[in-house]
Amino acid sequence: MQWADFLANEAATNSLSPEQTAAFVERLKTENSGKSEAKLASELNIGAAAFKKRMTEVYEKFAKSYPELANSENRGKLEKLRACLTAKYNGGQDAQPTIKEIHQNIPPAVPFEKFVGREVELKKLHQQLQTSRQVAIVAVAGMGGVGKTELASQYAKQHLQNYQGGVCWLSAQGIDVGIQILRFAELKFKLIAPDDWELADRQRYCWQNWQQGEVLLVFDDVTDYKKQVQPYLPPESPRFKVLLTTRLGFDRTLPQLPLGVLKPLAAMKLLKSLVDRERLKSDPWVAKKICKFLGYLPLALELVGRYLDTMPDLSLETLRKRLEKKRLEHEAIAKANPLMRYEYGVAEAFALSWEQLDENAQKMGCGLSLFALADIPLPVEAIEDDEQQEVWEKAIADLLELHLLQRQSKGIYKLHPLIRQFFQMKLDESSEADEVKTSFAAQAVRVAKRIPQKSNREEILNLTLYIPHLAELATDLFPYLSDEDLITPFTRLGWFYKGQGLYQQAEPWLQQCVELTKNRLGLEHPHIVTSLNNLAGLYKSTGHYRKAEPLYQQALELSKRLLGDEHPLVAASLHNLAGLYEYTGSYREAEPLYQQALELSKCLLGEEHPFVAVSLHNLAGLYEYTGSYREAEPL
């Protein structure tokens, strides 16, 4: 066994973390014996203080096996630890028995390979594998680029000592898995079954004569369990442990360890391990924005980190803007890095899963990309057509199985930011893109129309889930709104916030409504009247009467010019302007407008109409304020 492999084994035996292992191996390498801690820290791309802290933790863990380390100075601890390990490596009389070689074919590390933020998952994985009575099959599932293979590889390296019978790594996408097993047994254990035997018999011979001790079999990148795994499983025995990495989701009969994206702090840690720390310190908030934009996906983070390392003069802010503009097509994440283990760029990784979807699931993925990056309500049970409901259910199940969609709770789902970009890219490539976007806009408008001018608590709770998606429609998909429905999402978003007293959130939507309507429909359109009235109403509610008055006046003049003097919209405009004058104490200006609004509404709507009742009530209120009680009482 080589010294470096021996050190890795010792690290696993003493339960060192990945960070501690890196410092320990670097410090104990023969060629580094004369180097300072500062120099080694620099080579690991960490600070000297961090390196010293990790080595202190290493000494503490090894002190359990070598008590003499506990009472030594740091330099003395290093020399004593080196002496103890050297004696053990050489099989000296005072050392523990020499460790026998553990046969394995774990994929070798690649230059600057980083593994961070998975300590909890590693512990869970080990617990699941060790607690199973017979064959433990643990699916490390997750979408492309989430780090499934890296987690399995890191686990195998850290726990090598647990598997004295060897670690056999099998590529499900390589040559026949059965052949791979035979080659491993032949090369590592010299087990050669007769050539004239059937493959299954030769494989059975290998299992029966396999080296003693627990064995770990890793089936990497499984896409078809029945074909790639099931025929090659070892006999049921507690000593054989089986680990899968797969994009698929299995049912509960197969123990699983779902693997998600990194936590924000771990994502920053991964980026720091690849990019000069001072560079990130100068723009920490931009670095965090980049991590968030990438959805904390390990593959994307590593690609961007390595890209930045090759572009030392590129500012983080410039890269952030370019990523937001070009998205998955930017070279930083579009192409695989030849120095990395993973052979795909982000879009290529997602494409592998995309190709496994049928047409219905692909269409659903494209449709979901039009929603905002927020919880997506998909009330499938509301679909009346049973056949269509079943199509939706299967499409959702297929997306979930390949981890292209995340289930939050019953009927609520979510897309990863980069998968959403990938689906949008696929939609834009489709000949049906405009049709899909137009249909989405029409459906969203139907939801928007459910928002009343004043919402109660229950309505607010029920509608809140839809607000981000209506905002997405109003921001990016408004060109697909019909002229008739153009103002609906803007108006209803304004009402939603205004009704809760959230005036600052309401104002931009009502302002955009006016500008967009003018730009698209021209200055002479009834929608302009409605938009002006809504914005003026907001200013009136917030006490900005000077802003409200000219808008109400414009709305009144335009409604008369477009619709004539006798129209309900004219009556509403008269009523609104009168209400503003009443608020500001201009009672003489308010009275004739209220009277006109009342007479016009009676004429147009009849004596028995709610708007007539409102007009009567408001005119009476004006008389009450001015002390004209005789005029008020009959009204």
Side-chain angles (χ1 to χ4, degrees):
M1 180 184 292
Q2 298 296 316
W3 176 247
D5 293 332
F6 171 76
L7 292 177
N9 285 341
E10 285 297 302
T13 302
N14 288 273
S15 303
L16 300 190
S17 69
E19 293 81 7
Q20 293 165 352
T21 298
F24 164 69
V25 172
E26 203 67 23
R27 176 74 278 185
L28 272 293
K29 281 181 181 177
T30 306
E31 62 268 29
N32 291 340
S33 59
K35 293 182 181 179
S36 67
E37 283 192 345
K39 174 66 175 173
L40 295 176
S42 176
E43 291 178 0
L44 287 175
N45 201 21
I46 61 175
F51 185 88
K52 187 172 183 178
K53 179 176 180 293
R54 291 180 188 178
M55 284 307 300
T56 300
E57 293 167 347
V58 168
Y59 296 139
E60 289 174 355
K61 288 195 174 182
F62 272 96
K64 296 175 183 178
S65 302
Y66 307 108
E68 58 267 35
L69 292 175
N71 301 317
S72 305
E73 297 296 327
N74 273 348
R75 185 64 187 175
K77 286 182 180 178
L78 172 62
E79 297 310 324
K80 283 187 178 180
L81 179 58
R82 191 192 302 277
C84 291
L85 293 176
T86 301
K88 183 175 181 179
Y89 179 68
N90 295 326
Q93 294 181 354
D94 297 329
Q96 296 178 14
T98 305
I99 299 175
K100 72 174 183 180
E101 181 178 3
I102 296 178
H103 296 289
Q104 50 89 8
N105 63 339
I106 305 168
V110 297
F112 305 109
E113 183 176 48
K114 304 298 177 184
F115 188 84
V116 301
R118 298 297 195 193
E119 292 79 9
V120 173
E121 287 85 352
L122 283 170
K123 288 181 181 178
K124 285 183 179 178
L125 180 55
H126 187 59
Q127 289 169 359
Q128 285 182 292
L129 280 166
Q130 295 307 307
T131 54
S132 296
R133 293 181 180 178
Q134 296 182 357
V135 179
I137 304 178
V138 185
V140 184
M143 63 186 189
V146 83
K148 302 178 292 296
T149 298
E150 287 72 14
L151 181 69
S153 172
Q154 194 67 215
Y155 170 78
K157 290 174 183 175
Q158 287 193 27
H159 293 274
L160 194 59
Q161 287 299 316
N162 292 91
Y163 300 102
Q164 297 291 315
V167 174
C168 181
W169 191 281
L170 304 163
S171 173
Q173 301 303 318
I175 62 172
D176 186 277
V177 173
I179 299 297
Q180 293 181 56
I181 293 171
L182 293 182
R183 286 183 178 176
F184 182 89
E186 181 180 344
L187 290 171
K188 304 298 183 181
F189 309 135
K190 310 303 180 188
L191 294 176
I192 304 175
D195 291 337
D196 57 349
W197 286 11
E198 294 291 335
L199 178 60
D201 294 328
R202 296 166 67 191
Q203 188 177 313
R204 193 177 302 111
Y205 170 83
C206 292
W207 294 138
Q208 290 171 351
N209 296 279
W210 202 275
Q211 181 170 293
Q212 291 301 308
E214 285 199 348
V215 181
L216 177 65
L217 298 172
V218 182
F219 290 80
D220 187 34
D221 198 13
V222 173
T223 54
D224 189 329
Y225 178 81
K226 285 188 176 180
K227 290 182 179 180
Q228 297 168 336
V229 179
Q230 201 169 51
Y232 309 107
L233 291 174
E236 291 191 5
S237 167
R239 77 188 191 100
F240 286 106
K241 310 292 181 181
V242 179
L243 172 62
L244 311 181
T245 75
T246 177
R247 293 163 185 258
L248 304 175
F250 296 106
D251 61 35
R252 295 188 181 183
T253 58
L254 196 66
Q256 296 172 67
L257 176 67
L259 195 61
V261 297
L262 294 173
K263 300 293 185 184
L265 286 177
M268 277 295 292
K269 189 176 181 180
L270 176 56
L271 206 57
K272 286 176 181 177
S273 71
L274 296 161
V275 184
D276 181 67
R277 284 173 173 268
E278 295 304 318
R279 191 172 174 189
L280 295 179
K281 282 182 180 178
S282 63
D283 271 321
W285 290 108
V286 178
K288 289 179 180 179
K289 286 181 180 179
I290 289 175
C291 289
K292 184 177 181 181
F293 175 80
L294 298 174
Y296 311 108
L297 183 69
L299 172 61
L301 289 162
E302 186 169 356
L303 284 169
V304 166
R306 289 175 182 267
Y307 179 81
L308 281 169
D309 197 46
T310 64
M311 308 277 281
D313 295 325
L314 176 65
S315 76
L316 297 181
E317 179 62 18
T318 299
L319 176 62
R320 184 189 68 80
K321 289 179 179 178
R322 290 176 182 173
L323 283 170
E324 290 187 351
K325 182 179 180 181
K326 296 186 177 180
R327 308 200 296 177
L328 290 180
E329 295 179 351
H330 191 278
E331 61 179 318
I333 55 176
K335 298 179 180 179
N337 188 307
L339 296 177
M340 290 171 56
R341 184 196 306 275
Y342 204 68
E343 57 183 314
Y344 301 106
V346 174
E348 293 173 320
F350 295 158
L352 295 175
S353 297
W354 171 264
E355 290 162 5
Q356 296 182 53
L357 298 172
D358 65 17
E359 184 180 356
N360 289 326
Q362 289 182 350
K363 282 184 177 179
M364 172 162 279
C366 290
L368 291 175
S369 73
L370 300 176
F371 286 85
L373 274 177
D375 287 348
I376 301 172
L378 292 177
V380 179
E381 66 278 0
I383 300 174
E384 294 181 0
D385 187 319
D386 286 345
E387 192 172 325
Q388 186 61 34
Q389 183 175 337
E390 194 170 342
V391 169
W392 271 52
E393 288 170 347
K394 185 180 183 304
I396 291 173
D398 289 347
L399 291 168
L400 290 172
E401 182 182 25
L402 288 165
H403 302 275
L404 294 171
L405 183 67
Q406 303 164 30
R407 183 178 183 273
Q408 303 296 95
S409 58
K410 183 181 179 182
I412 308 297
Y413 302 87
K414 197 171 185 178
L415 284 176
H416 182 274
L418 296 185
I419 289 179
R420 177 173 177 262
Q421 289 180 29
F422 178 79
F423 284 160
Q424 286 176 345
M425 187 171 70
K426 288 297 180 182
L427 176 60
D428 291 337
E429 292 172 0
S430 165
S431 60
E432 301 176 351
D434 288 343
E435 182 183 340
V436 172
K437 292 176 182 178
T438 301
S439 174
F440 176 85
Q443 292 176 41
V445 164
R446 286 197 286 273
V447 173
K449 287 179 178 178
R450 289 162 45 190
I451 301 176
Q453 196 156 7
K454 290 183 179 179
S455 305
N456 59 38
R457 183 183 298 274
E458 184 179 352
E459 288 169 332
I460 291 169
L461 289 174
N462 292 334
L463 292 167
T464 296
L465 197 62
Y466 296 91
I467 296 303
H469 309 299
L470 293 176
E472 185 74 15
L473 169 67
T475 303
D476 291 326
L477 294 171
F478 62 84
Y480 296 93
L481 289 164
S482 66
D483 289 351
E484 181 184 352
D485 293 328
L486 181 62
I487 68 171
T488 302
F490 298 92
T491 300
R492 301 306 172 110
L493 284 166
W495 286 2
F496 179 79
Y497 290 115
K498 180 187 172 187
Q500 300 175 68
L502 302 172
Y503 303 119
Q504 287 186 333
Q505 287 93 323
E507 185 177 6
W509 296 116
L510 297 178
Q511 287 176 332
Q512 287 176 52
C513 189
V514 173
E515 294 306 314
L516 180 62
T517 308
K518 286 180 179 178
N519 292 337
R520 179 160 158 183
L521 303 178
L523 299 176
E524 305 278 317
H525 194 282
H527 278 348
I528 302 282
V529 177
T530 303
S531 302
L532 289 169
N533 273 322
N534 284 329
L535 182 58
L538 176 72
Y539 288 142
K540 174 186 170 185
S541 297
T542 57
H544 293 91
Y545 304 127
R546 289 184 180 179
K547 288 184 178 181
E549 184 177 4
L551 297 178
Y552 274 142
Q553 289 172 338
Q554 289 176 48
L556 177 57
E557 292 167 9
L558 184 58
S559 63
K560 285 182 176 180
R561 186 162 67 250
L562 293 176
L563 306 168
D565 288 339
E566 296 187 359
H567 192 278
L569 197 54
V570 174
S573 296
L574 285 165
H575 189 272
N576 289 337
L577 183 58
L580 176 69
Y581 287 146
E582 181 183 354
Y583 262 59
T584 57
S586 302
Y587 302 126
R588 289 184 180 179
E589 288 85 351
E591 183 180 1
L593 297 178
Y594 269 143
Q595 290 171 338
Q596 290 176 53
L598 175 59
E599 293 306 313
L600 186 55
S601 60
K602 282 181 178 180
C603 177
L604 295 172
L605 304 172
E607 296 281 348
E608 297 185 0
H609 191 276
F611 188 75
V612 174
V614 171
S615 296
L616 286 164
H617 182 274
N618 287 339
L619 181 58
L622 175 69
Y623 288 143
E624 182 182 0
Y625 293 148
T626 56
S628 304
Y629 303 124
R630 289 184 180 180
E631 288 83 353
E633 182 181 2
L635 297 176

